[in-house]
């Protein structure tokens, strides 16, 4: 056999062939690359053509934005009745909070959102964050409760709607996260008592639905407390939510901890770091970064699960929407009401998932694929 | 004769039923350079991992720099401040830059200031000849560079003893030399005690004060490099040397 030695050296770089890159190339490769794919693409286009125009017609073109009552709305061409939302949005958003004072929960919501956004920005990742949270929470508490400086006192059984959902979720996430991390570390520890306690807690909490935890906190806890001592109902619901989420956070974080190679811990030990220093500086930063996707799923689910406080009579966003439907003048617009709150839920959940993508990108230091 | 810095007396270790270290007696003087060699499974890595308590031993005494290694966590942490280790797979922290990898120990364990730790780290980075990589992440470096960073990281803690667990076994041949050069340089210029598990016999000849040969958990033979390579005394040693010095 004749093996010719062509000895071409290093070949110079060339641009890719036409038709395989750019928009045409993308379309070809993603949508039209095989007979099956062409078929699926055409099916999808057909479904969109069937589904999108009627939806747009119902929601926008035939919709009524200005009717005065239910009859007027229904008398129209049969589109959505957004006038119902115009009429009821304050009830849905703020629940049974006194009508004239609703600027207070609005302001409180904005303050809470501002605090959350600041936490998400890198430039505030230092001691200022504690100050921001402390001031923000104090402001929210003052605005919602009132009782001084000319603001009337509004007890928290009258809080409702979006501010309440936000408060329950924010504190739920903020406390469930560190508790979950500690539980995960405890479950992996060598100390038998701590490990057993963590396992029992996690398995019991994961084994019951959130509704039963809320129910137990609301109905059973007062039975066990001494006479005269009672816990604020909202606080009880908040604690139940925190306990519930922390078990799931614990198992997710434990998965991340397991993924860290033993060599990392040995490397840390070889330079003299103790257990807490190793966890804080080496293991947890890497483990938490790995489990950002499932953690964000837990938090998104938690945000929506707050609607379960319905069972103990707390007016969150979902219950307020339901309450708005019971007005005899405006009957039968449940689709509009639920679409409205679905949009609100979607906006928050989508914001959370976009933020998590950004966070992952920020933390990517070139060692992942 | 300088004082003993590592003393292992009748050390025995089991992994479950498997007797991995059998009656080990080893005396290491301060400033000595020891190369430990042997077939795989002979317990060489386990031996040096016992010295900085990454593995525990069931029987016998291990005394490092005057502190006996037992279950006492405080004593173990005390020993680990003075004993550094370089691993086969580097074990650098991928989420921190090279400089942060180096300053973490000095700042958090030795309580140095950030500035002091940085200056120290840059000095050692220059010593291992990669000062320009200080702000890169380990994932952006080649294997040889990563191992040199790992060596610098151990040196930043100013250890009295440096343990090397097959430092060049995971590197390709071009990089093996750059790491060995650093280790030779270290051996010649600093007074740190070095225990190196390696298959690089050239390195042993050049730098070691003593070569220790292990097989099946026991120390079969130990001698100066010349005596060891030219006049091995045990049959097992001869067989091993035939295999690797073809």
């Amino acid at each position: 056999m004749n093996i010719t030695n062509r000895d071409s050296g290093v070949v110079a770089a060339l641009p890719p062939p036409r038709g395989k890159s750019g928009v045409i190339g993308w379309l070809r490769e993603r949508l039209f690359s095989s007979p099956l794919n062409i078929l699926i693409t055409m099916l999808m286009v057909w479904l969109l053509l069937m589904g999108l125009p009627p939806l747009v017609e119902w929601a926008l073109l035939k919709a009524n934005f200005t009717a005065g009552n239910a009859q007027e709305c229904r008398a129209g061409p049969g589109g959505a009745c957004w006038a119902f939302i115009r009429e009821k949005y304050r009830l849905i958003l703020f629940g049974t909070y006194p009508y004239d004072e609703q600027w207070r929960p609005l302001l409180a919501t904005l303050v809470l959102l501002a605090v959350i956004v600041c936490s998400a920005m890198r430039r505030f990742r230092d001691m200022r964050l504690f100050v921001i949270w402390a001031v923000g929470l104090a402001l929210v508490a003052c605005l919602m409760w009132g009782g001084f400086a000319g603001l009337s006192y509004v007890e928290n059984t009258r809080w409702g709607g979006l501010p309440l959902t936000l408060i329950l979720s924010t504190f739920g996430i903020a406390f469930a996260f560190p508790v979950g991390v500690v539980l995960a570390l405890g479950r992996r520890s060598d100390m038998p008592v701590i490990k057993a306690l963590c396992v029992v807690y996690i398995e019991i909490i994961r084994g019951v639905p959130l509704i039963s935890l809320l129910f137990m906190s609301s109905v059973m806890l007062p039975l066990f407390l001494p006479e005269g001592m009672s816990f604020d109902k909202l606080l009880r619901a908040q604690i139940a939510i925190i306990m519930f989420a922390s078990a799931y956070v614990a198992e997710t974080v434990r998965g991340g901890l397991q993924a860290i190679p033993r060599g990392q811990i040995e490397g840390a030990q070889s330079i003299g770091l103790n257990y807490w220093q190793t966890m804080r500086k080496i293991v947890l930063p890497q483990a938490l970064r790995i489990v950002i996707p499932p953690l964000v799923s837990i938090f998104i689910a938690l945000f929506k699960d707050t609607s379960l406080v319905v069972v103990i009579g707390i007016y969150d966003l979902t219950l307020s929407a339901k309450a708005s439907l019971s007005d005899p003048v405006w009957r039968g617009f449940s689709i509009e009401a639920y679409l409205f709150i679905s949009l609100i839920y979607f906006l928050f959940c989508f914001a959370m998932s976009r933020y998590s993508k950004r966070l992952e990108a920020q933390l990517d230091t070139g060692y992942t694929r | 004769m300088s004082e003993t810095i590592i003393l292992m007396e009748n050390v025995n270790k089991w992994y479950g039923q498997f007797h991995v270290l059998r009656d080990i007696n080893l005396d290491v003087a301060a400033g000595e350079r020891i190369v430990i060699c042997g077939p795989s499974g002979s317990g060489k890595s386990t031996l040096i991992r016992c010295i900085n308590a990454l593995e525990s031993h069931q029987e016998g005494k291990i005394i490092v720099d005057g502190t006996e290694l037992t279950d006492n966590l405080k004593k173990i942490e005390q020993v680990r401040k003075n004993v550094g280790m370089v691993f086969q797979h580097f074990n650098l922290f991928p989420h921190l830059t090279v400089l942060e990898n180096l300053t973490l120990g000095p700042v958090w364990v030795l309580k140095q200031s950030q500035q002091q730790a940085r200056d120290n780290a840059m000095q050692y980075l220059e010593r291992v000849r990669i000062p320009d990589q200080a702000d890169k992440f380990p994932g952006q470096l080649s294997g040889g560079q990563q191992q040199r960073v790992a060596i610098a990281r151990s040196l930043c803690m100013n250890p009295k003893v440096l343990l090397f667990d097959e430092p060049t076994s995971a590197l390709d041949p071009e990089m093996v030399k750059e790491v060995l050069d650093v280790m030779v340089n270290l051996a010649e210029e600093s007074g740190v005690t070095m225990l190196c598990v390696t298959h690089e016999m050239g390195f042993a000849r050049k730098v070691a004060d003593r070569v220790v040969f292990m097989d099946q958990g026991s120390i079969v033979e130990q001698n100066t490099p010349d005596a060891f390579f030219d006049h091995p005394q045990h049959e097992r040693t001869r067989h091993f040397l035939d295999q690797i010095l073809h």
Side-chain angles (χ1 to χ4, degrees):
Chain A
M1 246 204 77
N2 194 11
I3 305 173
T4 42
N5 184 358
R6 270 206 265 160
D7 202 13
S8 47
V10 176
V11 180
L14 297 168
R18 247 179 354 155
K20 295 244 172 99
S21 63
V23 178
I24 307 285
W26 188 92
L27 280 175
R28 257 182 149 187
E29 199 184 300
R30 302 293 172 104
L31 301 180
F32 300 108
S33 56
S34 76
L36 181 63
N37 283 344
I38 295 176
L39 199 64
I40 295 177
T41 303
M42 284 167 54
L43 184 66
M44 289 291 127
V45 169
W46 181 78
L47 281 173
L48 280 174
L49 285 174
M50 290 276 100
L52 217 44
L55 186 65
V56 171
E57 236 184 270
W58 177 83
L60 293 173
L61 301 175
K62 289 191 188 165
N64 189 325
F65 290 90
T66 56
N69 57 43
Q71 279 94 318
E72 249 184 80
C73 228
R74 266 189 269 272
C81 182
W82 299 121
F84 168 72
I85 302 296
R86 264 187 71 207
E87 178 73 22
K88 294 285 177 187
Y89 75 95
R90 281 175 71 157
L91 174 61
I92 298 176
L93 285 180
F94 301 114
T96 51
Y97 208 88
Y99 197 81
D100 298 323
E101 309 278 337
Q102 279 179 358
W103 61 271
R104 283 161 55 184
L106 176 63
L107 202 54
T109 306
L110 292 173
V111 167
L112 197 53
L113 286 175
V115 170
I116 292 171
V117 168
C118 283
S119 309
M121 297 204 293
R122 261 198 153 162
R123 60 163 93 174
F124 290 107
R125 293 263 165 86
D126 54 28
M127 292 317 278
R128 282 186 292 176
L129 204 57
F130 283 110
V131 177
I132 291 176
W133 271 93
V135 168
L137 293 181
L139 251 159
V140 169
C142 291
L143 283 168
M144 295 296 287
W145 262 304
F148 66 96
L151 296 170
S152 62
Y153 176 70
V154 179
E155 57 173 3
N156 60 19
T157 48
R158 297 203 61 182
W159 298 2
L162 184 58
L164 192 67
T165 297
L166 262 183
I167 288 174
L168 283 173
S169 314
T170 306
F171 285 99
I173 293 173
F175 283 94
F177 181 61
V179 171
V181 168
V182 168
L183 281 169
L185 290 175
R187 186 163 176 168
R188 278 173 55 89
S189 99
D190 293 322
M191 294 182 273
V193 175
I194 295 195
K195 181 171 176 163
L197 281 174
C198 291
V199 170
V200 164
Y201 176 93
I202 291 173
E203 295 305 329
I204 288 184
I205 299 285
R206 281 204 306 175
V208 297
L210 179 56
I211 282 193
S212 63
L213 274 183
L214 287 168
F215 200 66
M216 279 195 278
S217 79
S218 181
V219 170
M220 280 174 60
L221 194 62
L223 297 175
F224 291 117
L225 290 177
E227 276 298 318
M229 183 175 153
S230 80
F231 254 108
D232 186 84
K233 179 154 79 162
L234 187 61
L235 182 62
R236 276 183 260 144
Q238 182 72 79
I239 291 178
I241 289 176
I242 291 171
M243 286 176 70
F244 183 74
S246 63
Y248 292 86
V249 169
E251 282 301 276
T252 304
V253 169
R254 186 168 73 96
L257 291 173
Q258 280 173 187
I260 304 299
R262 228 196 115 56
Q264 288 290 296
I265 299 180
E266 289 179 357
Q269 287 173 336
S270 76
I271 56 173
L273 295 176
N274 65 28
Y275 177 80
W276 289 108
Q277 289 168 331
T278 306
M279 287 301 141
R280 194 183 142 188
K281 293 298 267 181
I282 308 299
V283 176
L284 280 177
Q286 294 182 63
L288 291 176
R289 192 211 167 288
I290 294 176
V291 298
I292 288 178
L295 268 186
V296 171
S297 291
I298 293 177
F299 295 153
I300 289 177
L302 185 68
F303 183 77
K304 293 177 285 182
D305 280 346
T306 56
S307 58
L308 290 171
V309 294
V310 150
V311 299
I312 50 175
I314 295 181
Y315 269 79
D316 80 303
L317 191 60
T318 309
L319 189 55
S320 308
K322 199 148 180 275
S324 72
L325 292 169
S326 58
D327 184 346
V329 177
W330 291 90
R331 277 201 172 281
F333 296 113
S334 48
I335 298 182
E336 285 83 347
Y338 285 114
L339 266 181
F340 180 56
I341 60 168
S342 299
L343 186 63
I344 297 176
Y345 276 118
F346 178 76
L347 282 173
F348 280 96
C349 296
F350 190 63
M352 278 195 260
S353 88
R354 292 310 304 176
Y355 172 63
S356 90
K357 288 209 81 150
R358 229 190 71 189
L359 194 62
E360 278 193 85
Q362 274 177 5
L363 297 174
D364 182 9
T365 54
Y367 64 106
T368 51
R369 249 155 285 160
Chain B
M1 192 60 197
S2 36
E3 50 178 76
T4 305
I5 197 168
I6 300 176
L7 176 66
M8 295 176 83
E9 251 177 38
N10 303 322
V11 174
N12 280 283
K13 180 180 168 61
W14 285 263
Y15 279 135
Q17 296 294 335
F18 179 57
H19 197 175
V20 58
L21 289 180
R22 306 181 193 182
D23 216 32
I24 300 284
N25 284 287
L26 187 66
D27 226 327
V28 180
E32 216 183 331
R33 290 110 176 67
I34 299 198
V35 164
I36 304 175
C37 60
S40 62
S42 54
K44 333 184 275 292
S45 291
T46 312
L47 182 106
I48 65 167
R49 284 160 67 91
C50 284
I51 296 175
N52 70 348
L54 287 182
E55 306 276 357
S56 59
H57 55 281
Q58 281 87 5
E59 269 180 31
K61 263 203 311 202
I62 303 182
I63 303 180
V64 179
D65 196 29
T67 312
E68 185 177 346
L69 286 175
T70 55
D71 290 335
N72 188 325
L73 203 55
K74 282 265 173 279
K75 295 215 171 142
I76 291 179
E77 285 175 8
Q78 185 56 36
V79 164
R80 286 186 185 153
K81 283 187 194 166
N82 290 319
V83 176
M85 187 156 182
V86 177
F87 300 86
Q88 183 177 358
H89 297 291
F90 329 136
N91 289 342
L92 292 177
F93 309 130
H95 61 300
L96 301 175
T97 61
V98 163
L99 201 57
E100 287 166 352
N101 264 274
L102 265 57
T103 55
L104 192 67
V107 167
W108 283 62
V109 181
L110 302 179
K111 313 282 189 226
Q112 289 179 5
S113 74
Q114 277 283 357
Q115 193 53 44
Q116 197 184 354
R118 287 193 100 221
D119 294 335
N120 204 26
M122 286 309 296
Q123 195 194 359
Y124 281 116
L125 277 179
E126 279 184 29
R127 183 113 174 244
V128 299
R129 297 177 221 151
I130 40 172
D132 44 323
Q133 312 287 351
D135 291 315
K136 292 215 177 137
F137 288 96
Q140 297 170 297
L141 303 179
S142 73
Q145 290 170 326
Q146 287 187 48
Q147 192 61 294
R148 286 186 280 161
V149 169
I151 295 175
R153 181 178 67 174
S154 307
L155 289 174
C156 283
M157 297 294 291
N158 299 319
K160 293 184 184 160
V161 178
L162 256 187
L163 306 171
F164 293 84
D165 188 358
E166 302 206 38
T168 56
S169 299
L171 301 174
D172 70 51
E174 283 178 350
M175 295 177 192
V176 168
K177 183 174 187 313
E178 51 182 58
V179 173
L180 285 180
D181 283 345
V182 165
M183 288 166 66
V184 168
N185 175 280
L186 199 63
E188 286 169 358
E189 292 190 10
S190 72
V192 71
T193 314
M194 288 168 66
L195 271 90
C196 191
V197 172
T198 184
H199 299 296
E200 299 289 331
M201 294 300 132
F203 173 76
R205 271 219 197 241
K206 207 169 178 178
V207 146
D209 295 320
R210 210 194 322 169
V211 177
V212 171
F213 175 67
M214 281 184 73
D215 185 32
Q216 293 184 350
S218 334
I219 294 181
V220 172
E221 193 174 326
Q222 46 181 315
N223 222 326
T224 60
D226 289 331
F228 182 82
F229 289 114
D230 297 333
H231 308 290
Q233 279 162 17
H234 290 257
E235 177 56 40
R236 186 73 192 84
T237 320
R238 275 192 280 264
H239 181 74
F240 175 73
L241 287 174
D242 282 336
Q243 299 284 333
I244 77 169
L245 291 178
H246 46 252

